[in-house]
Amino acid sequence: MTDTAAPSALPDGQALAALVAGKLCHDFISPAGAISSGLDLLKDPSAQDMRDDAMGLIEASARKMVALVAFARVAFGASTSAERFSGAELGELVAALSEGGRATLDWRVEGGDYSKAEARALVNLAWLTLAALPSGGTAGVSTRRGEDGLEITGLAEGVRARLKPEAVAGLAGQPLGEGLQGQWIQPYWLWLTARDAGGSLDAQAEEGRVSLIVHMPN
């Protein structure tokens, strides 16, 4: 099980906020740019034959943007309107993000309510499980609540299932060495969520298979 003691040389305060903000901006810029491109096509008199394509691009990108914002509000703790979330509600958030992707989501999350911290851990783990399948496969996400707390499991199975070095460091609560901060911050955020709740995170990767397990105590 991954050690949850706080390591040194890790971002805190403004530095952590800047990394999360950078991650969100990176995620939002693609659908936002696509919406802008679609609007430009609609305004171009010489491109009126592409009007249907432009509208399709705008609609798909708008759905993606809404899905990203809804997900981020839970994943990064900005949702203040709800104290607890249902398993079905969280499944819809993750499914909306995975729409059109190569990986298939297998959502086997128990019913009942999940606290903000549990929901944050669950959706981040689910997204990282999907992200471990760049060439497709099955991302299984399940929960089990026992006397000692909640266990959340993500299992990615596919031909090229893998964790990038940045993700491995983040999931272990280690500082980023070489690599991209955007690939490191969300795995680290998941580790931080588990640690702050007094829980633990275990990540294992082998050929064609990645498993992530978070334990959140009662």
Side-chain angles (χ1 to χ4, degrees):
M1 199 67 72
T2 302
D3 183 9
T4 55
S8 59
L10 286 165
D12 196 8
Q14 289 185 335
L16 183 61
L19 288 172
V20 171
K23 159 70 175 170
L24 294 177
C25 290
H26 177 272
D27 290 345
F28 295 159
I29 194 64
S30 179
I35 291 171
S36 179
S37 296
L39 291 172
D40 288 341
L41 280 174
L42 289 179
K43 293 186 294 184
D44 186 351
S46 65
Q48 291 307 298
D49 59 330
M50 298 181 66
R51 184 178 181 84
D52 289 344
D53 291 338
M55 286 301 300
L57 177 63
I58 292 170
E59 290 174 3
S61 300
R63 286 197 302 270
K64 186 68 171 180
M65 176 65 84
V66 170
L68 284 166
V69 171
F71 174 85
R73 293 182 70 232
V74 177
F76 296 101
S79 181
T80 57
S81 60
E83 291 298 325
R84 304 189 71 83
F85 303 84
S86 71
E89 181 182 5
L90 298 173
E92 290 175 0
L93 288 179
V94 177
L97 277 188
S98 64
E99 184 179 350
R102 295 183 178 180
T104 300
L105 177 65
D106 182 13
W107 190 257
R108 299 188 181 185
V109 170
E110 294 180 348
D113 292 335
Y114 295 84
S115 69
K116 279 187 176 182
E118 291 171 345
R120 190 180 308 152
L122 176 53
V123 298
N124 276 292
L125 178 142
W127 183 239
L128 291 172
T129 303
L130 286 163
L133 295 166
S135 298
T138 301
V141 181
S142 61
T143 59
R144 181 178 61 84
R145 194 179 294 277
E147 294 182 358
D148 60 342
L150 176 70
E151 184 175 275
I152 309 169
T153 301
L155 181 61
E157 294 181 300
V159 176
R160 294 182 60 200
R162 69 178 190 273
L163 290 174
K164 293 184 178 181
E166 298 96 324
V168 172
L171 291 167
Q174 297 174 354
L176 176 67
E178 296 182 355
L180 299 174
Q181 291 180 329
Q183 299 288 343
W184 174 85
I185 184 57
Q186 194 166 4
Y188 175 71
W189 186 259
L190 175 59
W191 174 86
L192 194 63
T193 298
R195 189 207 66 174
D196 286 353
S200 59
L201 166 62
D202 181 65
Q204 303 290 333
E206 57 190 64
E207 185 175 355
R209 189 176 188 271
V210 170
S211 67
L212 305 173
I213 301 175
V214 168
H215 180 261
M216 302 288 281
N218 290 325

